[in-house]
mmCIF file of all heavy atoms in Angstrom:
data_model
loop_
_atom_site.group_PDB
_atom_site.id
_atom_site.type_symbol
_atom_site.label_atom_id
_atom_site.label_comp_id
_atom_site.label_asym_id
_atom_site.label_seq_id
_atom_site.Cartn_x
_atom_site.Cartn_y
_atom_site.Cartn_z
ATOM 1 N N SER H 1429 107.481 88.702 103.832
ATOM 2 C CA SER H 1429 106.375 88.551 104.771
ATOM 3 C C SER H 1429 106.388 89.669 105.819
ATOM 4 O O SER H 1429 105.329 90.200 106.179
ATOM 5 C CB SER H 1429 106.417 87.184 105.454
ATOM 6 O OG SER H 1429 107.615 87.026 106.167
ATOM 7 N N GLU H 1430 107.573 90.052 106.277
ATOM 8 C CA GLU H 1430 107.665 91.179 107.203
ATOM 9 C C GLU H 1430 107.283 92.480 106.515
ATOM 10 O O GLU H 1430 106.634 93.342 107.112
ATOM 11 C CB GLU H 1430 109.080 91.304 107.774
ATOM 12 C CG GLU H 1430 109.407 90.276 108.814
ATOM 13 C CD GLU H 1430 110.785 90.478 109.405
ATOM 14 O OE1 GLU H 1430 111.401 91.530 109.152
ATOM 15 O OE2 GLU H 1430 111.234 89.584 110.132
ATOM 16 N N ARG H 1431 107.675 92.623 105.268
ATOM 17 C CA ARG H 1431 107.331 93.829 104.505
ATOM 18 C C ARG H 1431 105.818 93.967 104.379
ATOM 19 O O ARG H 1431 105.263 95.044 104.570
ATOM 20 C CB ARG H 1431 107.975 93.748 103.124
ATOM 21 C CG ARG H 1431 107.828 95.003 102.315
ATOM 22 C CD ARG H 1431 108.569 94.892 101.021
ATOM 23 N NE ARG H 1431 110.001 94.910 101.316
ATOM 24 C CZ ARG H 1431 110.939 94.982 100.397
ATOM 25 N NH1 ARG H 1431 110.620 95.032 99.128
ATOM 26 N NH2 ARG H 1431 112.209 95.009 100.739
ATOM 27 N N LEU H 1432 105.151 92.873 104.075
ATOM 28 C CA LEU H 1432 103.693 92.887 103.973
ATOM 29 C C LEU H 1432 103.052 93.229 105.318
ATOM 30 O O LEU H 1432 102.128 94.044 105.384
ATOM 31 C CB LEU H 1432 103.195 91.528 103.475
ATOM 32 C CG LEU H 1432 101.699 91.382 103.246
ATOM 33 C CD1 LEU H 1432 101.256 92.280 102.099
ATOM 34 C CD2 LEU H 1432 101.355 89.945 102.972
ATOM 35 N N LEU H 1433 103.549 92.631 106.376
ATOM 36 C CA LEU H 1433 103.037 92.903 107.712
ATOM 37 C C LEU H 1433 103.197 94.370 108.077
ATOM 38 O O LEU H 1433 102.258 95.011 108.571
ATOM 39 C CB LEU H 1433 103.751 92.025 108.736
ATOM 40 C CG LEU H 1433 103.429 92.318 110.198
ATOM 41 C CD1 LEU H 1433 101.989 91.950 110.515
ATOM 42 C CD2 LEU H 1433 104.397 91.592 111.099
ATOM 43 N N PHE H 1434 104.359 94.948 107.821
ATOM 44 C CA PHE H 1434 104.602 96.347 108.172
ATOM 45 C C PHE H 1434 103.751 97.295 107.333
ATOM 46 O O PHE H 1434 103.286 98.328 107.822
ATOM 47 C CB PHE H 1434 106.084 96.687 108.018
ATOM 48 C CG PHE H 1434 106.974 95.988 109.009
ATOM 49 C CD1 PHE H 1434 108.262 95.657 108.680
ATOM 50 C CD2 PHE H 1434 106.520 95.650 110.272
ATOM 51 C CE1 PHE H 1434 109.103 95.016 109.583
ATOM 52 C CE2 PHE H 1434 107.334 95.000 111.181
ATOM 53 C CZ PHE H 1434 108.635 94.687 110.839
ATOM 54 N N ASN H 1435 103.535 96.954 106.050
ATOM 55 C CA ASN H 1435 102.673 97.793 105.214
ATOM 56 C C ASN H 1435 101.229 97.780 105.706
ATOM 57 O O ASN H 1435 100.568 98.824 105.750
ATOM 58 C CB ASN H 1435 102.750 97.364 103.755
ATOM 59 C CG ASN H 1435 103.987 97.894 103.073
ATOM 60 O OD1 ASN H 1435 104.368 99.032 103.241
ATOM 61 N ND2 ASN H 1435 104.637 97.040 102.299
ATOM 62 N N PHE H 1436 100.731 96.609 106.067
ATOM 63 C CA PHE H 1436 99.374 96.545 106.583
ATOM 64 C C PHE H 1436 99.259 97.218 107.948
ATOM 65 O O PHE H 1436 98.227 97.808 108.264
ATOM 66 C CB PHE H 1436 98.878 95.098 106.647
ATOM 67 C CG PHE H 1436 98.287 94.637 105.354
ATOM 68 C CD1 PHE H 1436 98.998 93.801 104.514
ATOM 69 C CD2 PHE H 1436 97.023 95.050 104.975
ATOM 70 C CE1 PHE H 1436 98.459 93.381 103.318
ATOM 71 C CE2 PHE H 1436 96.475 94.640 103.772
ATOM 72 C CZ PHE H 1436 97.198 93.805 102.946
ATOM 73 N N THR H 1437 100.303 97.163 108.743
ATOM 74 C CA THR H 1437 100.289 97.860 110.023
ATOM 75 C C THR H 1437 100.256 99.364 109.804
ATOM 76 O O THR H 1437 99.602 100.098 110.551
ATOM 77 C CB THR H 1437 101.514 97.457 110.863
ATOM 78 O OG1 THR H 1437 101.541 96.039 110.977
ATOM 79 C CG2 THR H 1437 101.457 98.064 112.241
ATOM 80 N N ALA H 1438 100.927 99.849 108.768
ATOM 81 C CA ALA H 1438 100.875 101.275 108.432
ATOM 82 C C ALA H 1438 99.464 101.685 108.024
ATOM 83 O O ALA H 1438 98.975 102.746 108.434
ATOM 84 C CB ALA H 1438 101.869 101.586 107.314
ATOM 85 N N ILE H 1439 98.799 100.852 107.232
ATOM 86 C CA ILE H 1439 97.411 101.137 106.846
ATOM 87 C C ILE H 1439 96.522 101.145 108.079
ATOM 88 O O ILE H 1439 95.662 102.018 108.242
ATOM 89 C CB ILE H 1439 96.915 100.106 105.807
ATOM 90 C CG1 ILE H 1439 97.674 100.277 104.498
ATOM 91 C CG2 ILE H 1439 95.408 100.247 105.586
ATOM 92 C CD1 ILE H 1439 97.413 99.182 103.500
ATOM 93 N N GLU H 1440 96.744 100.198 108.962
ATOM 94 C CA GLU H 1440 95.971 100.142 110.204
ATOM 95 C C GLU H 1440 96.199 101.387 111.049
ATOM 96 O O GLU H 1440 95.263 101.945 111.624
ATOM 97 C CB GLU H 1440 96.361 98.900 110.997
ATOM 98 C CG GLU H 1440 95.658 98.790 112.329
ATOM 99 C CD GLU H 1440 96.109 97.580 113.119
ATOM 100 O OE1 GLU H 1440 96.861 96.745 112.583
ATOM 101 O OE2 GLU H 1440 95.710 97.474 114.286
ATOM 102 N N ALA H 1441 97.437 101.854 111.116
ATOM 103 C CA ALA H 1441 97.743 103.047 111.899
ATOM 104 C C ALA H 1441 97.032 104.275 111.343
ATOM 105 O O ALA H 1441 96.614 105.154 112.100
ATOM 106 C CB ALA H 1441 99.250 103.283 111.936
ATOM 107 N N LEU H 1442 96.876 104.332 110.036
ATOM 108 C CA LEU H 1442 96.181 105.471 109.433
ATOM 109 C C LEU H 1442 94.672 105.402 109.617
ATOM 110 O O LEU H 1442 94.018 106.411 109.873
ATOM 111 C CB LEU H 1442 96.480 105.546 107.930
ATOM 112 C CG LEU H 1442 97.784 106.169 107.520
ATOM 113 C CD1 LEU H 1442 97.940 106.066 106.017
ATOM 114 C CD2 LEU H 1442 97.869 107.608 107.969
ATOM 115 N N LEU H 1443 94.111 104.214 109.480
ATOM 116 C CA LEU H 1443 92.659 104.096 109.413
ATOM 117 C C LEU H 1443 91.985 103.735 110.727
ATOM 118 O O LEU H 1443 90.777 103.892 110.844
ATOM 119 C CB LEU H 1443 92.266 103.061 108.360
ATOM 120 C CG LEU H 1443 92.695 103.377 106.936
ATOM 121 C CD1 LEU H 1443 92.238 102.289 105.999
ATOM 122 C CD2 LEU H 1443 92.148 104.724 106.497
ATOM 123 N N SER H 1444 92.732 103.231 111.684
ATOM 124 C CA SER H 1444 92.077 102.844 112.931
ATOM 125 C C SER H 1444 91.684 104.089 113.710
ATOM 126 O O SER H 1444 92.421 105.069 113.756
ATOM 127 C CB SER H 1444 92.989 101.950 113.764
ATOM 128 O OG SER H 1444 94.143 102.650 114.141
ATOM 129 N N GLU H 1445 90.520 104.024 114.273
ATOM 130 C CA GLU H 1445 90.014 105.160 115.021
ATOM 131 C C GLU H 1445 90.419 105.028 116.478
ATOM 132 O O GLU H 1445 91.139 104.118 116.862
ATOM 133 C CB GLU H 1445 88.496 105.229 114.854
ATOM 134 C CG GLU H 1445 88.094 105.439 113.403
ATOM 135 C CD GLU H 1445 86.599 105.445 113.201
ATOM 136 O OE1 GLU H 1445 85.868 105.497 114.198
ATOM 137 O OE2 GLU H 1445 86.176 105.404 112.053
ATOM 138 N N LYS H 1446 89.929 105.928 117.303
ATOM 139 C CA LYS H 1446 90.313 105.923 118.711
ATOM 140 C C LYS H 1446 89.866 104.655 119.413
ATOM 141 O O LYS H 1446 90.523 104.176 120.315
ATOM 142 C CB LYS H 1446 89.721 107.139 119.423
ATOM 143 C CG LYS H 1446 90.331 108.441 118.953
ATOM 144 C CD LYS H 1446 89.732 109.609 119.675
ATOM 145 C CE LYS H 1446 90.329 110.898 119.159
ATOM 146 N NZ LYS H 1446 89.756 112.071 119.787
ATOM 147 N N SER H 1447 88.751 104.108 119.000
ATOM 148 C CA SER H 1447 88.252 102.895 119.622
ATOM 149 C C SER H 1447 89.025 101.691 119.107
ATOM 150 O O SER H 1447 89.113 101.455 117.905
ATOM 151 C CB SER H 1447 86.768 102.717 119.310
ATOM 152 O OG SER H 1447 86.315 101.476 119.769
ATOM 153 N N SER H 1448 89.589 100.923 120.008
ATOM 154 C CA SER H 1448 90.338 99.737 119.587
ATOM 155 C C SER H 1448 89.438 98.521 119.427
ATOM 156 O O SER H 1448 89.899 97.450 119.096
ATOM 157 C CB SER H 1448 91.428 99.432 120.607
ATOM 158 O OG SER H 1448 90.849 99.161 121.864
ATOM 159 N N PHE H 1449 88.137 98.676 119.664
ATOM 160 C CA PHE H 1449 87.212 97.553 119.559
ATOM 161 C C PHE H 1449 86.723 97.339 118.133
ATOM 162 O O PHE H 1449 86.170 96.307 117.832
ATOM 163 C CB PHE H 1449 86.013 97.768 120.487
ATOM 164 C CG PHE H 1449 86.406 97.855 121.933
ATOM 165 C CD1 PHE H 1449 86.322 99.046 122.622
ATOM 166 C CD2 PHE H 1449 86.885 96.744 122.607
ATOM 167 C CE1 PHE H 1449 86.682 99.129 123.943
ATOM 168 C CE2 PHE H 1449 87.254 96.817 123.925
ATOM 169 C CZ PHE H 1449 87.158 98.012 124.605
ATOM 170 N N VAL H 1450 86.900 98.321 117.259
ATOM 171 C CA VAL H 1450 86.467 98.192 115.874
ATOM 172 C C VAL H 1450 87.559 97.455 115.099
ATOM 173 O O VAL H 1450 88.708 97.880 115.081
ATOM 174 C CB VAL H 1450 86.221 99.583 115.248
ATOM 175 C CG1 VAL H 1450 85.831 99.455 113.796
ATOM 176 C CG2 VAL H 1450 85.160 100.334 116.012
ATOM 177 N N PRO H 1451 87.225 96.344 114.459
ATOM 178 C CA PRO H 1451 88.239 95.616 113.698
ATOM 179 C C PRO H 1451 88.775 96.453 112.544
ATOM 180 O O PRO H 1451 88.040 97.227 111.924
ATOM 181 C CB PRO H 1451 87.497 94.394 113.172
ATOM 182 C CG PRO H 1451 86.271 94.279 113.985
ATOM 183 C CD PRO H 1451 85.951 95.664 114.470
ATOM 184 N N VAL H 1452 90.033 96.306 112.277
ATOM 185 C CA VAL H 1452 90.674 97.092 111.234
ATOM 186 C C VAL H 1452 90.112 96.740 109.869
ATOM 187 O O VAL H 1452 89.923 97.606 109.022
ATOM 188 C CB VAL H 1452 92.199 96.873 111.275
ATOM 189 C CG1 VAL H 1452 92.878 97.581 110.128
ATOM 190 C CG2 VAL H 1452 92.738 97.354 112.594
ATOM 191 N N SER H 1453 89.823 95.466 109.634
ATOM 192 C CA SER H 1453 89.288 95.066 108.335
ATOM 193 C C SER H 1453 87.952 95.740 108.065
ATOM 194 O O SER H 1453 87.655 96.098 106.924
ATOM 195 C CB SER H 1453 89.138 93.551 108.266
ATOM 196 O OG SER H 1453 88.266 93.090 109.278
ATOM 197 N N GLU H 1454 87.156 95.943 109.097
ATOM 198 C CA GLU H 1454 85.876 96.637 108.929
ATOM 199 C C GLU H 1454 86.101 98.098 108.561
ATOM 200 O O GLU H 1454 85.408 98.648 107.709
ATOM 201 C CB GLU H 1454 85.075 96.531 110.226
ATOM 202 C CG GLU H 1454 83.672 97.056 110.143
ATOM 203 C CD GLU H 1454 82.937 96.823 111.452
ATOM 204 O OE1 GLU H 1454 82.929 95.685 111.929
ATOM 205 O OE2 GLU H 1454 82.386 97.797 111.976
ATOM 206 N N THR H 1455 87.077 98.725 109.180
ATOM 207 C CA THR H 1455 87.392 100.119 108.877
ATOM 208 C C THR H 1455 87.912 100.264 107.454
ATOM 209 O O THR H 1455 87.506 101.168 106.720
ATOM 210 C CB THR H 1455 88.433 100.652 109.873
ATOM 211 O OG1 THR H 1455 87.953 100.455 111.193
ATOM 212 C CG2 THR H 1455 88.704 102.124 109.656
ATOM 213 N N ILE H 1456 88.799 99.368 107.047
ATOM 214 C CA ILE H 1456 89.330 99.410 105.686
ATOM 215 C C ILE H 1456 88.213 99.178 104.673
ATOM 216 O O ILE H 1456 88.128 99.873 103.659
ATOM 217 C CB ILE H 1456 90.466 98.384 105.516
ATOM 218 C CG1 ILE H 1456 91.658 98.788 106.378
ATOM 219 C CG2 ILE H 1456 90.876 98.248 104.054
ATOM 220 C CD1 ILE H 1456 92.743 97.743 106.448
ATOM 221 N N ALA H 1457 87.335 98.231 104.940
ATOM 222 C CA ALA H 1457 86.219 97.957 104.028
ATOM 223 C C ALA H 1457 85.302 99.169 103.896
ATOM 224 O O ALA H 1457 84.816 99.471 102.807
ATOM 225 C CB ALA H 1457 85.430 96.749 104.520
ATOM 226 N N ARG H 1458 85.079 99.867 104.996
ATOM 227 C CA ARG H 1458 84.215 101.051 104.958
ATOM 228 C C ARG H 1458 84.834 102.142 104.085
ATOM 229 O O ARG H 1458 84.159 102.739 103.247
ATOM 230 C CB ARG H 1458 83.980 101.564 106.372
ATOM 231 C CG ARG H 1458 82.891 102.571 106.465
ATOM 232 C CD ARG H 1458 82.557 103.026 107.877
ATOM 233 N NE ARG H 1458 82.888 102.097 108.932
ATOM 234 C CZ ARG H 1458 83.866 102.283 109.828
ATOM 235 N NH1 ARG H 1458 84.614 103.353 109.775
ATOM 236 N NH2 ARG H 1458 84.096 101.397 110.774
ATOM 237 N N PHE H 1459 86.130 102.396 104.243
ATOM 238 C CA PHE H 1459 86.791 103.424 103.449
ATOM 239 C C PHE H 1459 86.866 103.037 101.975
ATOM 240 O O PHE H 1459 86.670 103.882 101.102
ATOM 241 C CB PHE H 1459 88.191 103.702 103.984
ATOM 242 C CG PHE H 1459 88.205 104.627 105.166
ATOM 243 C CD1 PHE H 1459 88.447 104.125 106.433
ATOM 244 C CD2 PHE H 1459 87.979 105.985 105.022
ATOM 245 C CE1 PHE H 1459 88.459 104.968 107.533
ATOM 246 C CE2 PHE H 1459 87.991 106.834 106.116
ATOM 247 C CZ PHE H 1459 88.232 106.329 107.372
ATOM 248 N N VAL H 1460 87.139 101.778 101.694
ATOM 249 C CA VAL H 1460 87.222 101.326 100.303
ATOM 250 C C VAL H 1460 85.854 101.399 99.634
ATOM 251 O O VAL H 1460 85.741 101.780 98.464
ATOM 252 C CB VAL H 1460 87.812 99.897 100.239
ATOM 253 C CG1 VAL H 1460 87.655 99.305 98.845
ATOM 254 C CG2 VAL H 1460 89.269 99.924 100.641
ATOM 255 N N SER H 1461 84.799 101.092 100.357
ATOM 256 C CA SER H 1461 83.460 101.160 99.764
ATOM 257 C C SER H 1461 83.100 102.594 99.393
ATOM 258 O O SER H 1461 82.442 102.828 98.382
ATOM 259 C CB SER H 1461 82.417 100.598 100.729
ATOM 260 O OG SER H 1461 82.218 101.470 101.831
ATOM 261 N N VAL H 1462 83.552 103.541 100.162
ATOM 262 C CA VAL H 1462 83.292 104.947 99.838
ATOM 263 C C VAL H 1462 84.077 105.357 98.602
ATOM 264 O O VAL H 1462 83.587 106.110 97.756
ATOM 265 C CB VAL H 1462 83.645 105.848 101.047
ATOM 266 C CG1 VAL H 1462 83.604 107.309 100.672
ATOM 267 C CG2 VAL H 1462 82.693 105.584 102.200
ATOM 268 N N ILE H 1463 85.273 104.842 98.464
ATOM 269 C CA ILE H 1463 86.106 105.202 97.317
ATOM 270 C C ILE H 1463 85.557 104.600 96.027
ATOM 271 O O ILE H 1463 85.482 105.270 94.993
ATOM 272 C CB ILE H 1463 87.558 104.728 97.544
ATOM 273 C CG1 ILE H 1463 88.190 105.539 98.676
ATOM 274 C CG2 ILE H 1463 88.389 104.846 96.272
ATOM 275 C CD1 ILE H 1463 89.535 104.996 99.131
ATOM 276 N N PHE H 1464 85.118 103.333 96.059
ATOM 277 C CA PHE H 1464 84.749 102.634 94.831
ATOM 278 C C PHE H 1464 83.304 102.795 94.398
ATOM 279 O O PHE H 1464 82.985 102.545 93.249
ATOM 280 C CB PHE H 1464 85.063 101.140 94.954
ATOM 281 C CG PHE H 1464 86.523 100.838 94.835
ATOM 282 C CD1 PHE H 1464 87.152 100.033 95.761
ATOM 283 C CD2 PHE H 1464 87.273 101.350 93.805
ATOM 284 C CE1 PHE H 1464 88.495 99.748 95.658
ATOM 285 C CE2 PHE H 1464 88.621 101.068 93.692
ATOM 286 C CZ PHE H 1464 89.232 100.273 94.624
ATOM 287 N N SER H 1465 82.409 103.177 95.271
ATOM 288 C CA SER H 1465 81.006 103.256 94.861
ATOM 289 C C SER H 1465 80.516 104.696 94.902
ATOM 290 O O SER H 1465 80.881 105.468 95.775
ATOM 291 C CB SER H 1465 80.138 102.384 95.765
ATOM 292 O OG SER H 1465 80.194 102.856 97.081
ATOM 293 N N LYS H 1466 79.673 104.995 93.944
ATOM 294 C CA LYS H 1466 79.166 106.366 93.831
ATOM 295 C C LYS H 1466 77.887 106.583 94.626
ATOM 296 O O LYS H 1466 77.665 107.657 95.149
ATOM 297 C CB LYS H 1466 78.935 106.719 92.360
ATOM 298 C CG LYS H 1466 80.222 106.776 91.579
ATOM 299 C CD LYS H 1466 79.980 107.168 90.155
ATOM 300 C CE LYS H 1466 81.290 107.197 89.404
ATOM 301 N NZ LYS H 1466 81.133 107.578 88.013
ATOM 302 N N ASP H 1467 77.047 105.566 94.705
ATOM 303 C CA ASP H 1467 75.794 105.756 95.436
ATOM 304 C C ASP H 1467 75.828 105.025 96.775
ATOM 305 O O ASP H 1467 76.541 104.047 96.961
ATOM 306 C CB ASP H 1467 74.585 105.312 94.614
ATOM 307 C CG ASP H 1467 74.674 103.868 94.173
ATOM 308 O OD1 ASP H 1467 75.706 103.249 94.406
ATOM 309 O OD2 ASP H 1467 73.694 103.379 93.610
ATOM 310 N N ILE H 1468 75.052 105.519 97.699
ATOM 311 C CA ILE H 1468 75.073 105.029 99.073
ATOM 312 C C ILE H 1468 74.563 103.595 99.165
ATOM 313 O O ILE H 1468 75.065 102.796 99.959
ATOM 314 C CB ILE H 1468 74.273 105.976 99.979
ATOM 315 C CG1 ILE H 1468 74.974 107.324 100.033
ATOM 316 C CG2 ILE H 1468 74.140 105.415 101.382
ATOM 317 C CD1 ILE H 1468 74.211 108.397 100.749
ATOM 318 N N ASP H 1469 73.555 103.242 98.372
ATOM 319 C CA ASP H 1469 72.969 101.902 98.451
ATOM 320 C C ASP H 1469 73.971 100.805 98.097
ATOM 321 O O ASP H 1469 73.977 99.733 98.699
ATOM 322 C CB ASP H 1469 71.755 101.802 97.535
ATOM 323 C CG ASP H 1469 70.634 102.718 97.997
ATOM 324 O OD1 ASP H 1469 70.554 102.990 99.214
ATOM 325 O OD2 ASP H 1469 69.859 103.169 97.148
ATOM 326 N N SER H 1470 74.837 101.050 97.125
ATOM 327 C CA SER H 1470 75.790 100.013 96.745
ATOM 328 C C SER H 1470 76.981 99.918 97.698
ATOM 329 O O SER H 1470 77.709 98.933 97.681
ATOM 330 C CB SER H 1470 76.297 100.266 95.308
ATOM 331 O OG SER H 1470 77.034 101.461 95.275
ATOM 332 N N ARG H 1471 77.183 100.907 98.534
ATOM 333 C CA ARG H 1471 78.286 100.853 99.503
ATOM 334 C C ARG H 1471 78.078 99.754 100.519
ATOM 335 O O ARG H 1471 79.028 99.107 100.938
ATOM 336 C CB ARG H 1471 78.433 102.187 100.223
ATOM 337 C CG ARG H 1471 78.969 103.273 99.358
ATOM 338 C CD ARG H 1471 79.091 104.562 100.116
ATOM 339 N NE ARG H 1471 79.415 105.642 99.204
ATOM 340 C CZ ARG H 1471 79.381 106.902 99.503
ATOM 341 N NH1 ARG H 1471 79.033 107.278 100.713
ATOM 342 N NH2 ARG H 1471 79.691 107.805 98.624
#
Side-chain angles (χ1 to χ4, degrees):
S1429 60
E1430 285 183 11
R1431 187 176 290 188
L1432 183 66
L1433 173 68
F1434 293 149
N1435 280 317
F1436 274 103
T1437 306
I1439 293 171
E1440 177 182 352
L1442 279 176
L1443 298 180
S1444 63
E1445 298 177 11
K1446 292 180 182 178
S1447 173
S1448 61
F1449 299 110
V1450 178
V1452 175
S1453 60
E1454 187 176 308
T1455 305
I1456 294 171
R1458 193 176 335 110
F1459 279 106
V1460 169
S1461 71
V1462 171
I1463 292 170
F1464 285 131
S1465 63
K1466 294 182 181 180
D1467 57 354
I1468 295 173
D1469 295 332
S1470 65
R1471 289 180 189 169

